[in-house]
């Protein structure tokens, strides 16, 4: 009886372990299936030839490379334009200085001419009237 009871307990324990093992295997199989599906989904998201992450990374890297090239070429252009601007600004400054100098020279020249002309006008006496001058001119007559 003891032996039968011990055998029954062992049998029950084995059946319980087997049931629990099958249950665990079923759960783990379900997890494997779920995880496999998730892995497939992620693999597809990574390797998709149109929208995949690898394609996006490659596109981004190409865009960055192109951006760097554009920045370099635009920087060169801006530097060349700035050099041209600096040269033009220097030329304009020289031209401005030359024009100021020319204005000063011309101002002095015309001021001296004006002084001489004014001095000549001041120093001249009224000239004698010509011999044909008739001193009896009275303007228009009243008879009109």
């Amino acid at each position: 009886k003891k032996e039968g009871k011990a055998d029954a307990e062992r049998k029950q324990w084995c059946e319980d372990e087997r049931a629990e093992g099958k249950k665990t295997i079923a759960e783990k199989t379900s997890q494997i299936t779920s995880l496999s599906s998730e892995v497939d989904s992620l693999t597809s998201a990574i390797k998709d030839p149109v929208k995949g992450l690898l394609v996006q990374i490659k596109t981004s890297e190409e865009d960055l490379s192109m951006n760097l090239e554009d920045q370099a070429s635009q920087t060169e252009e801006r530097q060349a334009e700035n050099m041209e601007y600096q040269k033009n600004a220097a030329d304009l400054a020289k031209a401005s200085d030359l024009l100021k100098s020319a204005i000063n020279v011309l101002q002095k020249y015309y001021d001296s001419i004006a002084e001489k002309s004014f001095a000549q006008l001041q120093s001249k006496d009224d000239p004698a009237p010509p011999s044909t001058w008739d001193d009896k001119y009275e303007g228009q007559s009243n008879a009109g």
Side-chain angles (χ1 to χ4, degrees), residues 11-142:
K11 181 180 176 205
Q12 186 60 44
W13 180 83
C14 285
E15 288 175 355
D16 290 344
E17 284 296 313
R18 182 174 280 153
E20 192 173 316
K22 286 182 179 180
K23 180 180 172 188
T24 302
I25 289 173
E27 287 174 358
K28 298 301 178 186
T29 303
S30 174
Q31 283 180 346
I32 288 172
T33 304
S34 173
L35 291 174
S36 292
S37 171
E38 196 171 323
V39 166
D40 290 343
S41 173
L42 291 173
T43 301
S44 175
I46 291 171
K47 295 183 178 181
D48 186 291
V50 177
K51 296 181 182 179
L53 294 175
L54 293 176
V55 171
Q56 290 178 13
I57 290 170
K58 183 179 178 185
T59 302
S60 295
E61 287 174 347
E62 289 171 354
D63 291 347
L64 285 173
S65 175
M66 182 178 281
N67 187 356
L68 289 174
E69 291 172 11
D70 289 346
Q71 283 180 357
S73 68
Q74 289 175 359
T75 299
E76 286 179 25
E77 288 176 22
R78 281 193 297 275
Q79 288 174 343
E81 289 171 356
N82 187 303
M83 294 298 288
E84 185 68 26
Y85 168 78
Q86 295 296 334
K87 180 183 171 197
N88 287 340
D91 290 346
L92 290 174
K94 287 178 186 177
S96 177
D97 291 342
L98 287 173
L99 286 173
K100 288 177 185 176
S101 177
I103 288 171
N104 287 337
V105 168
L106 290 173
Q107 187 69 41
K108 288 178 185 177
Y109 173 75
Y110 285 115
D111 286 347
S112 71
I113 289 178
E115 287 177 16
K116 288 179 186 177
S117 295
F118 184 70
Q120 287 176 351
L121 289 175
Q122 292 289 330
S123 67
K124 281 193 174 181
D125 294 329
D126 287 336
S131 60
T132 58
W133 179 262
D134 186 6
D135 199 16
K136 297 180 183 170
Y137 178 75
E138 295 180 14
Q140 292 183 349
S141 66
N142 290 337

